[in-house]
Amino acid sequence: MSERVPHIPVMLADVLEVLQPKDGGIYVDGTFGAGGYTRAILGSADCAVLAIDRDPTAIMRGRELQSKFAGRLTLVEGCFGDMARLVRELGHEAVDGVVLDLGVSSMQIDEAERGFSFQKDGPLDMRMSGQGVSAADVVNTFDEGDLARIIAVYGEEKRARAVARAIVKAREAERFERTLALADTVARVIGRRPQDRIHPATRTFQALRIYVNDELGELARGLSGAEGLLREGGRLAAVTFHSLEDRVVKRFLTARTGRAARANRFMPEIDEVPPSFREIEHKARKASEAEADINPRARSAKLRAAERTAAPVLPLDLADLGIARMPSILEGQA
C-alpha cells in the first residue's frame, strides 16, 4: 500500500524553530492526528518521538509512519493530559520537547460518522476517543440551564439561552440523534444573514465538542504534564485555534514564567515562587498571511512557547487558568 500524502500542519516551520529538534533528543507529540509534526520532527534530526492520540483511528493510520521511522517513533493511544504517566510507563523520565496542536482535526471533521460537522449528516457523537458521554447524551438529557451554560461558556454564544430552550422543546417531540437535526434547530434560532461568515450552529457545536471531550481540562493537564516531563532547556510549543484554548495556555505560561502580577505589590521578592519556564517570545506568534491564504484554518492559529527551567513543578489549579466547573452527566440530567 502506498504511503499517504503527508499532512502539513499549521505553523509547522514556527513549531520546528521553537522546538529546535536535536540528534538524540526525545520529543512528545501530544496530539498526533495525521502525524504532520511528528514527521517533521523526525525528519529534522536523528531523534525519537513519542506520539499520543486519544483517537484510535489516528493511531491506526500512523502505523505506516511508524514503519518508516522504525525504532524512532512510538505511537501511544491515550489522552495527552496523561502524558506524564504514559511517557514514564515507556521508560522515559524526561524529554526535550513537547508540541500540542489543539482542537479538532480536519480528518475528524471530514468524517461524517464522527459527528463533529454541522455541514455533513452523521450520528451526533463528537467523542474523539469513541468512549464516554456523547453529544447526543448531552443535548437529550441536560436541563435547559446547564445546556445554556455549556453553550455560553464553551461556545461564547450570545443567544445560548434561546438555543438551549429550542433544543429542550424540540427533543420533547423527537430525540436528537443526527448532526443536521441539531444544526437546523440552532440555525432556526440564530438565523443567518448574507454577510455572516460562519454557520449559525458553529458555536453550539464547538461548545458541545469541548464539553464532551473535556478539552480545556485536558489542555490544562497536558500543560502540567509537559512541565513535569521537560528537562531543563526543554521546549514547549502549543498551537491553539480559538480564544478559550489560547487563554488557558497564556495564563499557564504567564504564571509559570513569573509574569503574573503579585496579589500585593509590596510583597517581597523572596516570597515569590521561582519560574518553571522562561519566555521564548512575549507574545503569541500568528500564522503568516501566505500560510493563511493556503490554509484558512491557520487564520485563527496562535503559537505560544516557553523553555523549561530547573525550578520545581507548580501545582495545577484549573480555576487559576479560568476553567469553569461544568455539570457532569449525572448532575446535568433533566
Side-chain angles (χ1 to χ4, degrees):
M1 182 166 51
S2 62
E3 190 176 357
R4 292 180 179 88
V5 176
H7 167 73
I8 306 299
V10 171
M11 301 186 72
L12 175 59
D14 299 277
V15 167
L16 289 178
E17 182 182 336
V18 165
L19 286 182
Q20 300 178 351
K22 61 185 180 182
D23 292 350
I26 300 172
Y27 299 87
V28 175
D29 183 349
T31 47
F32 176 68
Y37 289 121
T38 287
R39 181 190 300 271
I41 293 168
L42 290 169
S44 62
D46 184 12
C47 59
V49 172
L50 313 175
I52 302 169
D53 205 296
R54 62 162 63 173
D55 187 343
T57 303
I59 297 297
M60 180 181 67
R61 287 173 170 165
R63 296 302 179 193
E64 286 185 45
L65 191 62
Q66 189 174 37
S67 297
K68 179 177 180 179
F69 293 99
R72 295 173 56 201
L73 171 58
T74 302
L75 296 173
V76 184
E77 185 177 336
C79 295
F80 69 78
D82 299 323
M83 76 167 71
R85 174 181 61 81
L86 294 172
V87 169
R88 287 175 178 138
E89 285 177 353
L90 292 171
H92 303 283
E93 288 300 317
V95 300
D96 298 284
V98 174
V99 59
L100 300 174
D101 174 18
L102 302 163
V104 66
S105 75
S106 56
M107 292 187 306
Q108 290 167 332
I109 292 174
D110 290 342
E111 295 172 356
E113 65 271 18
R114 301 301 300 274
F116 289 98
S117 177
F118 43 77
Q119 296 178 320
K120 299 178 180 180
D121 195 35
L124 188 56
D125 194 323
M126 301 193 193
R127 297 172 296 178
M128 292 181 181
S129 66
Q131 299 179 354
V133 176
S134 71
D137 293 326
V138 176
V139 299
N140 287 302
T141 62
F142 277 39
D143 66 30
E144 181 181 315
D146 287 333
L147 280 174
R149 176 166 167 74
I150 290 168
I151 295 167
V153 174
Y154 287 162
E156 300 180 301
E157 172 58 69
K158 294 179 180 178
R159 301 198 62 199
R161 177 63 72 172
V163 170
R165 188 180 306 117
I167 290 172
V168 171
K169 182 175 177 58
R171 77 189 187 195
E172 291 175 355
E174 185 177 4
R175 177 182 167 88
F176 284 100
E177 298 287 0
R178 310 290 292 181
T179 54
L180 289 189
L182 178 61
D184 289 345
T185 298
V186 176
R188 284 195 293 271
V189 175
I190 303 298
R192 188 171 191 177
R193 299 166 299 178
Q195 66 268 33
D196 289 343
R197 295 178 58 187
I198 67 171
H199 189 284
T202 300
R203 290 179 287 271
T204 295
F205 271 63
Q206 172 185 295
L208 291 170
R209 190 201 78 221
I210 290 173
Y211 176 82
V212 165
N213 296 289
D214 187 25
E215 289 182 26
L216 299 187
E218 186 73 7
L219 171 55
R221 292 187 292 272
L223 293 169
S224 181
E227 181 184 21
L229 283 174
L230 286 167
R231 67 179 90 252
E232 184 178 2
R235 298 287 187 93
L236 169 65
V239 180
T240 63
F241 292 91
H242 59 72
S243 60
L244 297 176
E245 294 171 341
D246 182 60
R247 197 175 304 142
V248 172
V249 177
K250 181 179 180 180
R251 288 183 176 181
F252 180 86
L253 292 179
T254 295
R256 281 153 173 77
T257 56
R259 289 195 287 116
R262 295 196 301 274
N264 183 342
R265 66 189 178 91
F266 299 107
M267 186 183 296
E269 294 286 336
I270 195 171
D271 290 338
E272 292 190 1
V273 177
S276 57
F277 282 94
R278 64 174 60 92
E279 288 184 336
I280 294 176
E281 294 175 354
H282 180 62
K283 292 185 177 180
R285 286 195 196 187
K286 296 182 179 180
S288 68
E289 284 297 324
E291 180 176 1
D293 287 341
I294 297 171
N295 183 1
R297 186 169 178 256
R299 290 197 177 278
S300 60
K302 290 184 178 181
L303 168 63
R304 294 188 186 273
E307 183 177 279
R308 190 69 168 88
T309 68
V313 172
L314 299 178
L316 178 64
D317 187 325
L318 297 185
D320 283 350
L321 299 181
I323 300 176
R325 184 181 181 277
M326 287 292 175
S328 71
I329 185 64
L330 295 178
E331 294 170 335
Q333 289 175 341

